[in-house]
Every structure is written in C-alpha cells, then in structure tokens.
Amino acid sequence: MSGTINFTQAYQRALYESMEADPSVIMLGEDIADEEGGGVFKVTAGLSTKFGAERVRTTPISEQAIVGAAIGASLAGMRPIAEIMLMNFITVAMDQIVNHAAKLRFMSGGQTHVPITIRTRTGAGIGAAGQHSDMLEAWFAHVAGIKVVVPSTPADAVGLLSSCIFDDDPCLFIEDSLTRTVSGPEPDPGHRLPLGKAHVDREGGDVTVIGYGRPLLDTRKIAAKLADEEGISVEIVDLRTVSPWDKETVLNSVAKTGRAVVVHEAPRSFGVGAEVAATIQEELFGQLKAPVLRATSRDVTVPFARILEQEYLYKPADIESAIKSTLK
Amino acid sequence: MTAAEHYSPSALMDVFRKALFINVVDEKMRGLLKSGGLVAVYYSPRGQEVVAAGMGVHLKPSDYLVTTYRGIHDQLAKGMPLKLLFAEYFAKVTGACKGKGGAMHITHPETGVMVTTGVVGSGLPIANGLAWATQIKKEDRVTLVTFGDGASNIGAFHEALNLASLWKLPVIFMCQNNGYGECTQYSKATPVENISERAAAYGPNLAGVTVNGNDPQAMWEASRDAVARARAGDGPTLLEAKTFRFMGHYFGDPGAYIPKDEYAAAMEKDPMPAIRQAVIESGAASEAEIKELEQEYSAQIDEALKFAADSPAPELEEISRDIYGDAA
Ligand SMILES: Cc1ncc(C[n+]2csc(CCOP(=O)(O)OP(=O)(O)O)c2C)c(N)n1
Ligand SMILES: [Mg+2]
C-alpha cells in the first residue's frame, strides 16, 4: 500500500501481472499492440513489446471474430482477454457471447468451459452520444453463465480484473470512460478479489445504498456529507460483481438498516436495480421501514448536447434525495 | 492414423467404411423417428456421407472439429463414440453432455468434437480461436469447421475467413453446399456460382477449392490437400463440397419447395450406391463383404441404441450444475 494509482494504471497493472504470471494469458482486440499505439485508451500500452506480438494481437475490426477467437482459444486451454473498444460495439458480438461463451459449459455438460475475459469501456458524460455511452450490463446479467464485473476503485479494478482473467468462466469486465484518471490507494502486488462477492464499502445503520462502478464514487461523498451534516448513517454495499450477485451480503445489510436505495448509471427500466429491489422485498418485506428506491439514469437514448446528457444521467442529488426519502 | 499420400483402393475403402457407418446410423435414426422410438428434431445428413467421410479419414483424434446441428456425419467421421452420441440424442444423463445440450450441441473433447452449434455460421470464429491456440502452442493439430451453403451469407463467415487468412491459421473451413438453406434454394440466396470463389476476397493465404462432395476420390484428395496445408502452417482453406440433402431440412420436412426434377437429378448422383459400386469395382471389397460390414455396424448401432434407450434421464439437480465452474 505505497502510493496511489488511477483506474487506467490499475487495468494496466492487472493485465501486466497476469501475462507475466501465466503464458496462457493472451490478448486480442482492435489497435491493442504497440505498433498501433497500445489501444485507443492506452490500456494495453507496452504489453506487445514486453510479451510479444504472438500473445498480444491487434485484430481487424471484427467483433464477432474477436470474441469467437477468444472462445475457441479458451476451449483449447488458453486464457484470452478480448478488448472490445466500447461497450456498444459488443452488440455486434452478442451471438458469440450469449449463445456460445455463456452456454458452452452447460450445454456440454461441463466437458468444456470458456475462461475468457472481455474488457470493455463505456459510460455517459463525455459527449459521446447515443452509440458510444451505454451501460449494457443488465443485458448480460440476464444470461446465466457469464460473470459481469464493474470496479469502483482502482485497487478493486486490479483485484477484480486479475480474478476475471484467472476465472474459469467468461467474464465481462466494464471500465468507465469518465473516471479513467481518478486515483486511489495502490494495492499490493498480486492483489485479487473474489468474484461474486459484494463488499461493505462503508458501514452504517440507517440506510443501505447498493451499487457498483461510478455512482459509488458519488455515493461515498454523499454518505460522508450526510453523516457530517445531518447525522445520517449510510451503509454502502459495492456489488463489485453485478452477476451473479451476492444476495447474502446485500440482504444482511438491508436486514440491519431496514432501508435500501439501489444506484446505477444504466437506465432505470429492467435494470439491475429492479432485480435487487425485487429480491429485497421478496426476502425482507416485513422488515422494511420504507419502499426500496432507485437512483438511475433515464429511459432515453444518451443525448449529445451536454445539457441533455446531464439530464439523462443519474445525478448525485438523486442519490441523496432517495436516501433521505427512505428516512421520512 | 493418417491417410496415405495417394488415392488408392484402400483409401477408397477407408472412406467407404466411414460413409457406410454414417449411412447405417442415419437409417436407424430415421427408422426410430418414424416408429416413435425417438422423439427429436433430426437434421439428416443423408446425401452428405462422403463429404464427412472423405475429410474424416485425414483427421487425427487430436484434431479439432466444430460442426452444426446437421453434424452427426461429421461427429461420427471424427470418431465420436456412438453410445455417448445416442444417449445425448435420447436426452439421457449418460449422454456426452448429460442430456443438457442435446443433438444440436454435441460435444466430446476426447475425440476433438469441441463445439456443435445451432446458430448458423457461428462456428467459424470459434474454429479460428482453436487454431490460434494451436499456432501459439506450436501443436501438430488442425481445426476443421463445417457449415452449410446458407452460412456463407452471414457476417461471421466473412469476419472469420478474413482473420484466418490474416493470421494464417491452421483451419479448414468446409462448406457442405447441399443446395438449400432451409427452404431457400442456393441461387436465391447466394449470387456466386461457387462459394469457394469468396476465398479470393481474403488474399493469397486462403485457398479456395470447390469439389464434388459425392465423389470419394475428389473429396479424399481435396481434404488431404487442405489438411496438409493447415498442418504445414501454409494457411487455411475454404473447401466447398457440392452435395445434396435428400431428407429435407429436418426429418419429416415435406420438401415441397424442391423442384421434382432437381430432386430426381440429385438422386441419380446419390453418393452411397456410387461409392459402393466403386468399392466393388476396385476390388477392395465384395458385395458379400460389404453386407457383412453392414451387419457388423448395425449390431454396434443397435447395442448403442439400447444403451441410450435404457439409460436414465438426468436428475433434476442437474439443472443447476455446470452453469459456473465454482458454483456449489
Ligand atoms: C443465425 C441463424 N439464423 C437462422 C437460423 C435458422 N436456421 C437453421 S438451419 C438454417 C439453414 C441453414 O442452411 P445451410 O447453412 O445451408 O445449412 P444446411 O441446413 O443446409 O446444412 C436456418 C436458416 C439459425 N439457426 N441461425
Ligand atoms: Mg444448405
């Protein structure tokens, strides 16, 4: 725990350490090798030079071919990491991910499995508009067999991405566009975090906020402020793995506080928040002191104009007012 | 066991044995479906036996196969054990996939049957990945992916051919052009005379070959060349085998969309009577010896069918197994 690192450095660190640790870790994606600049977001910079062009391959712009090649190589014992430049482009490879990566273990009766990691990036707030901003995690959370992972600190990014790479099932690791230079404490070398386990990020007694990724950066500030200014004690549960999600940790927390708010950047309808809220009321109906609320972005296409984009996005004020509403 | 360099009566006999075996299995399956002894959707390979057999004799157990719903001939030619195959068709726990994948998702890594997909064209990108792993590990292994004429019109086909050529992957793309994609005639969906012409679009690394898939010698020689090319690291081949499917898209398909004269002309070129006659003429086996072979196969098949029919169904707990590797 020496210095600090930012999110981009965290991803780089996990990739570097994993490639160093295991020669079966290989990488493919558009522009990822150093000759092409080490990736448009520079996350893979230096890797092809260090580990060779055989293991770090720039591909044509062919998302189905990228994910398919990752799947095939994984069936043959490799641990491929496929980079899909932006999450919206994943839609081009849905068949490979949903029909094949997610299901081959089950459909083969456990004879094969698909230890791939798909790294992708997304998030609204940078003016990238309708086709370069979507958080589509709920699409994948709806399919059994895939793990969906979203970090909320650089240290977690190292631990979770490393665990994805060495997990024996397909993992979708979502990186946030807006916070790539945000820093946090640096983890120890070889840091890993278990997948499928949520983390109580802040302990509190009045209300539980459940989320993952960027909105938790806002929630931490809000929780600190509410504690200072209004004496409200917020517990934050970071899912870390969106699917399969850690019901036990969430339910234990809400059983204690009796109140819950779910936050995510993705649009509200049919989102992860709906699943979490439904489960909480199914399991803890009698113990709830208030309805379970959600703070999310709106059910529209991500707009271009900044003023509209901000109107689309969840707002920290929404999180704060949802927390307070549960206490009324 | 690798085939010899030159076509000979014994090479013909190798092809014939596999083709006959496929043919007897297919007849038994159709008999069972008719009698109600098996209830399943069945995509008969009737008419395509020599395609699978002519290729299969050149493959080693360690080579990889990716095939489709119409894949029983490919799986048998690859050496997949009958009992495991049939028990899967019968949805039994003793099936290769414990009854969880079914006929469209047959998998048996021990004989190299890595993926069977029910999605048209999706096998090609995955085959690239298997071949990529082989290339990285410097293994002596080729990957065969088979698919229909209809599959050559989907994006995955083109992305996969492009990548395989670019990376010079040890893969064979075998298109079994049977004249129809479901109910649509080849010429109404595909504006090139030969699918192999499409190889030209992907550069000199990718060989494009069209062959009469009903002709054992042509099929044997073209397969030998494609396999040798892949094994030597000289690049992939798009091998188009022209053939016909006599039982329609699925067994029971009335096939009203097939013009009667086209069907009759195809029947004249039925590969099974032709190869049988060729075997007898070559002196490799007499009619009596062939009859003996048929009886031997028939007995093997009956035994495997009995095993499948007598096996138990999966227990209900099986539904929650093989979703994730680390799940309880
Ligand atoms: C992506 C996709 N679209 C449609 C289908 C439905 N479908 C199943 S088989 C088939 C025809 C495929 O024809 P072809 O590739 O020539 O193979 P054949 O059945 O003749 O062996 C279609 C359209 C499918 N399985 N997958
Ligand atoms: Mg066809």
Side-chain angles (χ1 to χ4, degrees):
Chain A
M1 287 287 228
S2 41
T4 61
I5 56 169
N6 66 30
F7 276 97
T8 299
Q9 291 165 331
Y11 308 139
Q12 286 168 339
R13 165 115 149 221
L15 296 175
Y16 187 96
E17 284 183 355
S18 302
M19 293 203 79
E20 177 103 287
D22 184 345
S24 70
V25 177
I26 54 178
M27 217 174 283
L28 77 171
E30 293 158 20
D31 302 317
I32 68 166
D34 288 330
E35 275 184 48
E36 288 73 44
V40 288
F41 304 110
K42 302 283 178 254
V43 174
T44 55
L47 295 174
S48 68
T49 302
K50 167 77 184 170
F51 298 106
E54 180 96 299
R55 288 178 67 193
V56 181
R57 288 206 191 175
T58 288
T59 64
I61 306 158
S62 304
E63 278 73 11
Q64 297 190 68
I66 292 168
V67 177
I71 293 171
S74 78
L75 295 174
M78 308 303 281
R79 294 193 171 277
I81 305 166
E83 177 174 308
I84 300 293
M85 192 183 294
L86 286 173
M87 192 165 206
N88 284 83
F89 313 152
I90 262 188
T91 57
V92 175
M94 284 308 267
D95 164 57
Q96 289 295 333
I97 300 172
V98 172
N99 291 323
H100 297 88
K103 297 179 179 173
L104 289 180
R105 180 191 284 278
F106 187 89
M107 295 197 307
S108 73
Q111 293 178 98
T112 59
H113 60 277
V114 182
I116 65 170
T117 300
I118 300 172
R119 287 181 40 245
T120 193
R121 164 169 305 229
T122 194
I126 55 169
Q131 296 174 341
H132 292 68
S133 307
D134 282 332
M135 287 290 294
L136 302 177
E137 69 277 12
W139 292 26
F140 299 92
H142 204 64
V143 179
I146 313 183
K147 296 182 181 177
V148 182
V149 177
V150 188
S152 74
T153 70
D156 284 9
V158 175
L160 293 169
L161 180 52
S162 303
S163 293
C164 286
I165 295 166
F166 290 103
D167 194 80
D168 280 339
D169 287 299
C171 295
L172 178 63
F173 183 83
I174 304 172
E175 303 168 7
D176 177 52
S177 295
L178 203 72
T179 54
R180 61 186 208 281
T181 57
V182 169
S183 292
E186 183 182 11
D188 294 331
H191 182 53
R192 299 259 188 104
L193 289 171
L195 302 182
K197 280 264 166 273
H199 169 63
V200 178
D201 192 274
R202 176 191 176 99
E203 288 193 22
D206 294 331
V207 49
T208 303
V209 177
I210 303 125
Y212 49 92
R214 194 207 299 174
L216 291 189
L217 276 64
D218 303 300
T219 305
R220 289 184 189 115
K221 289 182 199 149
I222 292 162
K225 189 185 96 169
L226 289 176
D228 280 355
E229 294 175 6
E230 308 192 32
I232 298 171
S233 169
V234 175
E235 176 144 309
I236 301 176
V237 177
D238 180 355
L239 289 183
R240 287 180 171 165
T241 301
V242 170
S243 179
W245 64 288
D246 180 359
K247 294 188 184 74
E248 195 185 331
T249 299
V250 170
L251 293 174
N252 284 343
S253 174
V254 180
K256 179 178 79 178
T257 61
R259 300 179 185 89
V261 174
V262 195
V263 297
H264 55 65
E265 180 188 328
R268 165 172 305 233
S269 298
F270 307 98
V272 171
E275 175 62 25
V276 173
T279 303
I280 292 171
Q281 69 83 16
E282 280 167 1
E283 300 291 330
L284 299 174
F285 188 68
Q287 291 158 257
L288 290 175
K289 297 172 190 150
V292 181
L293 297 181
R294 287 176 284 171
T296 69
S297 298
R298 291 178 56 175
D299 292 332
V300 299
T301 298
V302 179
F304 173 59
R306 184 160 177 79
I307 185 171
L308 295 179
E309 189 185 32
Q310 291 304 314
E311 184 59 19
Y312 155 79
L313 266 176
Y314 76 91
K315 290 171 209 46
D318 300 339
I319 302 174
E320 184 174 339
S321 71
I323 292 170
K324 286 184 178 164
S325 293
T326 64
L327 290 159
K328 273 186 195 141
Chain B
M1 170 202 70
T2 36
E5 286 285 300
H6 297 288
Y7 190 70
S8 63
S10 95
L12 168 64
M13 194 62 201
D14 291 342
V15 178
F16 179 63
R17 273 195 211 95
K18 278 193 190 286
L20 185 67
F21 190 63
I22 292 163
N23 189 226
V24 180
V25 167
D26 178 59
E27 271 172 16
K28 294 258 183 201
M29 293 300 261
R30 285 186 280 117
L32 272 173
L33 289 161
K34 246 186 213 156
S35 70
L38 171 63
V39 180
V41 183
Y42 180 59
Y43 303 93
S44 169
R46 185 65 268 282
Q48 302 178 206
E49 298 87 351
V50 168
V51 176
M55 172 58 77
V57 296
H58 295 285
L59 298 176
K60 303 178 189 175
S62 56
D63 292 330
Y64 291 136
L65 170 71
V66 177
T67 182
T68 72
Y69 51 91
R70 194 183 314 285
I72 194 168
H73 53 326
D74 297 329
Q75 291 143 2
L76 292 171
K78 191 68 182 62
M80 167 110 195
L82 265 187
K83 284 184 179 177
L84 299 181
L85 185 67
F86 287 157
E88 193 61 31
Y89 266 80
F90 277 72
K92 298 299 178 70
V93 72
T94 53
C97 311
K98 300 194 268 184
K100 292 160 66 162
M104 281 204 279
H105 306 299
I106 298 291
T107 309
H108 190 249
E110 272 166 60
T111 51
V113 182
M114 301 305 287
V115 178
T116 299
T117 184
V119 185
V120 168
S122 301
L124 289 85
I126 298 175
N128 276 346
L130 288 160
W132 180 33
T134 293
Q135 190 182 58
I136 291 174
K137 295 196 243 177
K138 300 186 171 52
E139 292 173 334
D140 172 28
R141 217 194 267 272
V142 302
T143 297
L144 168 70
V145 54
T146 83
F147 48 92
D149 45 289
S152 77
N153 294 323
I154 205 161
F157 168 92
H158 297 272
E159 289 192 18
L161 260 51
N162 185 65
L163 190 75
S165 176
L166 192 70
W167 291 3
K168 239 183 171 186
L169 295 174
V171 59
I172 299 138
F173 300 102
M174 186 162 82
C175 178
Q176 309 194 12
N177 184 346
N178 58 17
Y180 283 84
E182 274 184 1
C183 315
T184 302
Q185 203 178 34
Y186 177 75
S187 63
K188 292 188 187 149
T190 313
V192 290
E193 190 169 326
N194 300 308
I195 283 166
S196 67
E197 291 164 34
R198 290 181 160 171
Y202 302 105
N205 284 349
L206 177 65
V209 180
T210 292
V211 68
N212 177 358
N214 293 348
D215 176 345
Q217 179 166 1
M219 199 57 229
W220 187 93
E221 287 176 349
S223 302
R224 172 199 60 196
D225 294 348
V227 171
R229 183 179 163 81
R231 272 202 213 292
D234 291 338
T237 300
L238 171 59
L239 174 59
E240 175 189 21
K242 295 223 171 168
T243 180
F244 199 81
R245 26 148 257 218
F246 290 113
M247 294 296 151
H249 179 53
Y250 56 92
F251 182 63
D253 176 359
Y257 53 87
I258 307 175
K260 290 210 161 53
D261 52 342
E262 187 191 6
Y263 192 88
M267 249 330 187
E268 300 255 304
K269 298 182 202 148
D270 186 339
M272 285 317 297
I275 192 173
R276 191 181 188 109
Q277 203 186 330
V279 164
I280 293 167
E281 279 169 13
S282 76
S286 65
E287 178 60 31
E289 284 167 332
I290 294 174
K291 284 240 162 69
E292 240 172 74
L293 256 189
E294 271 171 332
Q295 275 161 12
E296 183 192 318
Y297 291 163
S298 186
Q300 272 179 41
I301 293 162
D302 286 342
E303 193 195 317
L305 283 171
K306 187 171 172 353
F307 167 82
D310 293 348
S311 286
E315 49 182 42
L316 289 183
E317 286 70 28
E318 206 52 70
I319 196 171
S320 46
R321 294 185 190 133
D322 303 320
I323 298 169
Y324 297 101
D326 52 12

